[in-house]
Amino acid sequence: MASRHFTSIKPIYTADVTATGGRNGRAVSSDKVLDVKLTLPKELGGPGETGKTNPEQLFAAGYSACFQGAMGLAASKLKISLPEANTVRAVVHIGKDSTGGLGLSVELHVSAPGLDKEATQKVVDLAHTICPYSRATTGNVE
C-alpha cells in the first residue's frame, strides 16, 4: 500500500475516510458516521446524479464549519460578542488554473447580524490565522 504522511503537526484528532470509485463512488468514515455517495458534476463531464455529493461540496462544508468555529475563538480572544445567528457560507470553485491544470478557488461569505462591519472584519481576519483550513489553503487556493 502506498501512503503519504505529514508529520509537521502533533495530531489531536484524526479523521479517517476511505473513498472508493473516485468521483463517481462513495466515501465512508472509519466510524461509519459519514457515508456519502459521490458523483462527478455535469459541469465536469459527469452525470451529476441527484442525491449524491462531490468533493467540492464536502470541502465547502468542512471549511465553512471550521471557519465558523475559528470565528468563535477569534471573537473570544478579541473580547467581541459574536452573534449566535452568525453564518459562514463557503463557495468552492474548481476550474483551470494558469498552468492548464485544475485548481480551486474559495469564497467565504460571513454574516454576523448585529455586529458592525469593522468588528466583523477583525474577527474574520483573526479567524483566518486560527482556522486550519485557511492556514492549509493560504498560497494554494485563491
Side-chain angles (χ1 to χ4, degrees):
M1 175 192 295
S3 64
R4 185 173 176 192
H5 298 277
F6 299 93
T7 58
S8 62
I9 65 164
K10 184 176 182 181
I12 299 169
Y13 169 78
T14 301
D16 183 352
V17 177
T18 300
T20 55
R23 285 180 163 272
N24 287 305
R26 176 180 225 125
V28 181
S29 61
S30 59
D31 62 5
K32 310 291 189 250
V33 171
L34 179 74
D35 186 347
V36 293
K37 295 176 183 173
L38 304 169
T39 187
L40 184 64
K42 289 180 182 178
E43 297 84 351
L44 295 175
E49 296 176 64
T50 303
K52 296 183 179 183
T53 189
N54 60 64
E56 292 72 36
Q57 288 179 335
L58 294 170
F59 184 77
Y63 198 165
S64 59
C66 186
F67 194 80
Q68 190 174 32
M71 283 177 52
L73 290 172
S76 179
K77 285 184 179 194
L78 295 167
K79 300 191 182 341
I80 293 173
S81 181
L82 190 63
E84 283 194 35
N86 76 84
T87 61
V88 176
R89 180 170 64 102
V91 179
V92 175
H93 307 277
I94 186 169
K96 296 283 184 174
D97 65 15
S98 61
T99 68
L102 291 175
L104 295 177
S105 175
V106 178
E107 301 170 32
L108 292 178
H109 300 272
V110 173
S111 174
L115 191 61
D116 69 71
K117 188 175 181 176
E118 183 179 328
T120 301
Q121 191 61 56
K122 284 180 183 178
V123 170
V124 167
D125 290 345
L126 184 55
H128 274 299
T129 70
I130 296 170
C131 176
Y133 279 74
S134 290
R135 294 178 59 188
T137 58
T138 297
N140 299 310
V141 175
E142 282 185 28

